[in-house]
Amino acid sequence: EVQLLESGGGLVQPGGSLTLCCAASGFTFSTYAMSWVRQAAGEGLEWISSISDRGGSTYYADSVRGRFTVSRDNANNTVCLQMNSLRAEDTATYFCARDKPSFDNWGQGALVTVSS
Amino acid sequence: EIVMTQSPATLSVSPGERVTLSCRASQSVSSYLAWYQQKPGQAPRLLIYDASTRATGVPGRFSGSGSGAQFTLTISSLQSEDFAVYFCQQYYLWLRYSFGPGTKLEIK
């Protein structure tokens, strides 16, 4: 069974940093691209970043480019999202998803709250 | 950047009705289009990929159609568990994806 489990969410002050990670199991992690999607409360889904299967290619939405960095560790079946210079508008639930490239499996989400 | 739009934003329907949701892309995305269902407090669930292929375990009452820039998701006979928000997503641009704003199905 495919499982994706996010960790690292929490409360952070504006301008601060936070790193989310997603632990994958139940599939050959190194053969799939992975993506991060966020959702502010009551809002829609926003794709924010993807990383290729070997990590050689990464892409970001304009809203986070230059502030967020996606990385992966195929030896440990983990993908992480380092978030710097956080803003109030980054407050959201962050999901990791397996990239088929449609997103066929999702984590349960990690809540990030940016507030003073 | 490919911009996705969906209509209507909200649809009030009765159980048993047939519904059609629309999704449009700002440029052709060929058939690289997926539909997701999301219920409150849950992660999205993949329903349809490649515009018309049902994901594993998705009931046959869900069907997708379209290609290019215009797509539809049809639910042939609404069940109580189908009341949710539906999002479309393009994956035409590898690793540079985008979602539509969603259509909320409400009980009439």
Side-chain angles (χ1 to χ4, degrees):
Chain A
E1 178 192 4
V2 173
Q3 289 193 328
L4 300 170
L5 184 63
E6 298 96 341
S7 62
L11 174 65
V12 60
Q13 292 187 340
S17 298
L18 205 60
T19 297
L20 302 179
C21 287
C22 172
S25 61
F27 64 101
T28 306
F29 180 73
S30 61
T31 63
Y32 286 86
M34 296 294 293
S35 292
W36 288 92
V37 176
R38 70 183 180 185
Q39 185 173 38
E43 302 294 324
L45 301 172
E46 179 188 16
W47 168 79
I48 57 171
S49 184
S50 294
I51 185 167
S52 61
D53 54 356
R54 297 183 181 183
S57 297
T58 56
Y59 289 93
Y60 302 90
D62 290 345
S63 59
V64 305
R65 187 176 297 115
R67 301 187 299 123
F68 289 13
T69 302
V70 63
S71 62
R72 66 189 296 159
D73 179 351
N74 284 348
N76 289 298
N77 293 349
T78 303
V79 57
C80 293
L81 185 69
Q82 181 180 349
M83 304 182 292
N84 297 328
S85 303
L86 283 162
R87 308 165 180 166
E89 54 265 36
D90 295 318
T91 294
T93 296
Y94 286 71
F95 297 98
C96 67
R98 189 173 77 165
D99 187 335
K100 265 188 60 182
S102 56
F103 298 164
D104 66 340
N105 284 273
W106 297 66
Q108 85 291 347
L111 178 62
V112 173
T113 303
V114 184
S115 175
S116 54
Chain B
E1 179 191 0
I2 299 177
V3 177
M4 308 299 291
T5 57
Q6 291 184 242
S7 61
T10 304
L11 192 56
S12 296
V13 294
S14 300
E17 286 188 20
R18 177 186 179 93
V19 297
T20 299
L21 311 182
S22 295
C23 173
R24 176 171 291 184
S26 59
Q27 67 178 74
S28 174
V29 297
S30 185
S31 294
Y32 298 111
L33 190 286
W35 289 94
Y36 300 85
Q37 175 193 67
Q38 188 180 33
K39 297 179 180 179
Q42 297 183 14
R45 171 197 181 195
L46 176 66
L47 294 177
I48 302 286
Y49 63 96
D50 293 347
S52 61
T53 303
R54 275 190 300 275
T56 303
V58 175
R61 61 181 181 273
F62 291 91
S63 63
S65 64
S67 65
Q70 187 71 43
F71 302 87
T72 59
L73 174 70
T74 299
I75 310 172
S76 60
S77 179
L78 268 173
Q79 305 299 302
S80 57
E81 60 267 31
D82 300 337
F83 290 95
V85 182
Y86 292 83
F87 296 95
C88 62
Q89 177 216 11
Q90 67 79 20
Y91 45 97
Y92 178 76
L93 298 178
W94 182 59
L95 301 185
R96 287 163 285 176
Y97 311 123
S98 51
F99 290 91
T103 292
K104 183 178 182 179
L105 285 187
E106 293 183 333
I107 301 176
K108 182 183 287 185

